[in-house]
Amino acid sequence: MRIASYSPLLIVGLVVALLAGLPVASVGLNLFAGGTSETWAHLSSTVLPEYIVNSLWLCLGVGLGVGSLGVTTAWLTAMHEFPGRRFFEWALVLPLAVPAYVMAYVYTDFLQFVGPVQTFLRETFGWEHGDYWFPDIRTLPGAMMMFVCVLYPYVYLLARTAFLERASGMLEAARTLGMGPWRAFFAVSLPLARPAIVAGVALALMETLADYGTVAYFAVNTFTTGIYRAWFSLGDRIAAAQLAAMLLAFVLFLLMAERVSRGRARYHDTTGRNRPMAGARLRGLAAVLAVVGCALPLLLGFLVPAGLLLKMALTEGDAQFGERFLVLSRNSFVLAGATAAIGVLLALLLAYGARLSKSALATGLNRLVGLGYAVPGAVIAVGVLIPVTRLDNWLAGQWETWFGHNPGLLLTGGIAALIYAYLVRFLAVALHTVESSLGKITPNMDDAARSLGLGQGETMRRVHVPMLRGSLLTAGLLVFVDVMKELPATLVMRPFNFDTLATQAYTLASDERLAEASTAALAIVVVGLLPLIALSRQISAARRK
């Protein structure tokens, strides 16, 4: 009886999980298909080693960069007092509003030969072309720097929370044993925060592997650029699927590597004393270094690119700013709004179904849906296009049999398929947000509602939804912003002559029209600030003095 009463929500969870897993399964099924084809043989003998090497170097450089920068800023703001700490503790998350590909466009314009930096150097010192050396930003190290500048907040947020929640009691015990600040940090705080740090680094690396705009613009060949070329330039969906499967293997390796590296080690705070500690007050040179250490990533990751975008948009900007810009904004908002609305509804049904059933099946289905966020957009795009194209061809054949004419492709290249890809990619964001908030509502409220004669649907509508209103809005906003910034899947799957702000910024920047790209790029950054402002307010409200 219990299982039967919950079967509708379990069926919803099963269907959503199957649809979420279909793109990955379609990619996996093509891993060994056509392995001896001319396209795959050509890729294997020419560019595949370069894809692998560049991806490995990106992971190494970005992992070290975001880890060191995120841990340093988190430790400074969580455990010390210095001028400006209250500002930095929330402002350090702002670089997340700037997509890496937008950062790449901005710094390329800023640091190129005719840009303001090199022009200033030539005018100041009387140099001419060839008289000086200046690093080229459009290289593999330059791409690493772009990713580090925008992705370190993943590590900062998780590490700072770990330091605040787990360090107090253990640090006090370490100090009573005569440990100095540095030794206590490496022997106590860092090991306790290790799972959080590694989780933040893993998130940053998954975003790095999923990126297309930055590496394509910098001419750094990775799996995402290879997938795009195999699909569009070579017209070989099998080769694209095989590259997508290898990229997916990279991501799965990242998810498994940390768990294997831990072995039997566990990282627990057993003191039971997690009250806030009085931060060590820094003075003199130490305070200056702390301010510089927090100001530099904020300056490079947000203030400089946002300021340059604003300047370019106001002084030059997109020549088609009027009606064309409104069309781009409308397209972006329609896609993001529809995906956010559907995603929040599905997340609520999935989370509520797991709450009611309390079964391993419902929990497992939700975890399967949650894996979509770890899958790069390029992989999802290929995985969606393959089965959708086959379904389209079958529908067209059946339509021609029944009605005597071929209607063409009904789903492929349409908005519905694109929203499906977005949901596979970002439904996990909404689901985790809703699950977290729903778990804070005591089950006693469910029992009280049922004792008053409310059914399951009425209990959700009249009790849980009002209490979850803030979390549902947050979940929708996060999905909305992620869709606004998403580039690889949009480039691969968007309908003909259907551009968004992200594709417009990429297209103009690829044509070296950086000033014109600034208008669309600035709009993406402004929209991305919305959830970060809410997050920053939460950080400030929860600050431990």
Side-chain angles (χ1 to χ4, degrees), residues 277-361:
M277 287 187 61
R281 183 168 295 278
L282 302 179
R283 304 180 186 276
L285 180 60
V288 172
L289 292 177
V291 171
V292 172
C294 292
L296 194 60
L298 177 62
L299 182 70
L300 296 177
F302 180 76
L303 295 179
V304 168
L308 291 173
L309 281 175
L310 181 61
K311 178 179 180 296
M312 286 190 291
L314 292 177
T315 56
E316 300 176 70
D318 193 343
Q320 302 177 4
F321 176 75
E323 183 179 353
R324 171 65 174 167
F325 184 80
L326 294 178
V327 171
L328 295 172
S329 301
R330 181 202 64 194
N331 293 343
S332 296
F333 275 75
V334 167
L335 289 174
T339 305
I342 298 172
V344 169
L345 176 61
L346 292 177
L348 179 61
L349 295 177
L350 292 173
Y352 196 64
R355 178 186 178 92
L356 290 179
S357 68
K358 300 178 182 178
S359 67
L361 174 60

Side-chain angles (χ1 to χ4, degrees), residues 13 62 96 110 119 141 154 172 199 201 234-235 255 272 283 314 362 384 394-395 429 453 516 520 528:
V62 174
L96 282 177
F110 188 54
T119 300
Y154 283 121
E172 289 180 3
V201 171
L234 302 177
L255 296 176
R283 304 180 186 276
L314 292 177
V384 168
W394 181 83
L395 290 175
V429 177
E516 295 179 59

Side-chain angles (χ1 to χ4, degrees), residues 69-335:
L69 197 58
V71 170
T72 300
T73 52
W75 177 250
L76 288 173
T77 57
M79 309 306 296
H80 299 85
E81 285 284 352
F82 56 90
R85 180 184 71 86
R86 294 187 179 184
F87 167 75
F88 287 123
E89 67 183 4
W90 64 263
L92 282 167
V93 304
L94 294 179
L96 282 177
V98 185
Y101 58 86
V102 171
M103 183 85 71
Y105 308 155
V106 172
Y107 275 107
T108 297
D109 182 76
F110 188 54
L111 299 176
Q112 65 181 336
F113 181 77
V114 296
V117 174
Q118 293 199 53
T119 300
F120 172 78
L121 292 176
R122 291 194 300 271
E123 292 177 351
T124 302
F125 298 101
W127 293 338
E128 296 182 358
H129 180 67
D131 292 341
Y132 66 98
W133 175 85
F134 196 84
D136 184 7
I137 190 68
R138 297 177 71 169
T139 57
L140 180 61
M144 293 178 186
M145 188 182 78
M146 299 298 102
F147 289 123
V148 171
C149 285
V150 300
L151 298 178
Y152 80 85
Y154 283 121
V155 180
Y156 166 76
L157 287 170
L158 296 176
R160 185 175 183 275
T161 301
F163 288 145
L164 287 172
E165 292 180 349
R166 303 177 185 176
S168 57
M170 296 289 284
L171 279 180
E172 289 180 3
R175 290 176 183 176
T176 62
L177 296 175
M179 286 188 181
W182 285 105
R183 186 180 176 189
F185 170 75
F186 286 105
V188 178
S189 298
L190 197 59
L192 284 174
R194 182 182 184 274
I197 295 170
V198 173
V201 171
L203 285 173
L205 293 184
M206 285 189 287
E207 291 290 338
T208 300
L209 290 174
D211 178 85
Y212 173 77
T214 306
V215 290
Y217 187 65
F218 279 11
V220 176
N221 289 325
T222 62
F223 283 106
T224 49
T225 60
I227 292 169
Y228 193 83
R229 291 170 186 166
W231 189 278
F232 287 98
S233 299
L234 302 177
D236 193 328
R237 65 176 180 84
I238 299 298
Q242 290 171 328
L243 289 173
M246 294 190 69
L247 175 57
L248 184 60
F250 259 82
V251 174
L252 294 176
F253 173 78
L254 289 176
L255 296 176
M256 296 176 59
E258 193 276 332
R259 185 173 297 275
V260 173
S261 69
R262 270 192 284 172
R264 296 181 178 273
R266 295 295 181 267
Y267 302 88
H268 302 299
D269 179 0
T270 58
T271 64
R273 301 172 63 190
N274 290 325
R275 65 180 184 275
M277 287 187 61
R281 183 168 295 278
L282 302 179
R283 304 180 186 276
L285 180 60
V288 172
L289 292 177
V291 171
V292 172
C294 292
L296 194 60
L298 177 62
L299 182 70
L300 296 177
F302 180 76
L303 295 179
V304 168
L308 291 173
L309 281 175
L310 181 61
K311 178 179 180 296
M312 286 190 291
L314 292 177
T315 56
E316 300 176 70
D318 193 343
Q320 302 177 4
F321 176 75
E323 183 179 353
R324 171 65 174 167
F325 184 80
L326 294 178
V327 171
L328 295 172
S329 301
R330 181 202 64 194
N331 293 343
S332 296
F333 275 75
V334 167
L335 289 174

Side-chain angles (χ1 to χ4, degrees), residues 352 446 449-450 454-464:
Y352 196 64
D446 301 38
R450 293 193 185 108
L454 296 182
Q456 297 168 5
E458 282 293 301
T459 301
M460 181 177 69
R461 184 179 67 85
R462 299 176 61 179
V463 178
H464 293 98

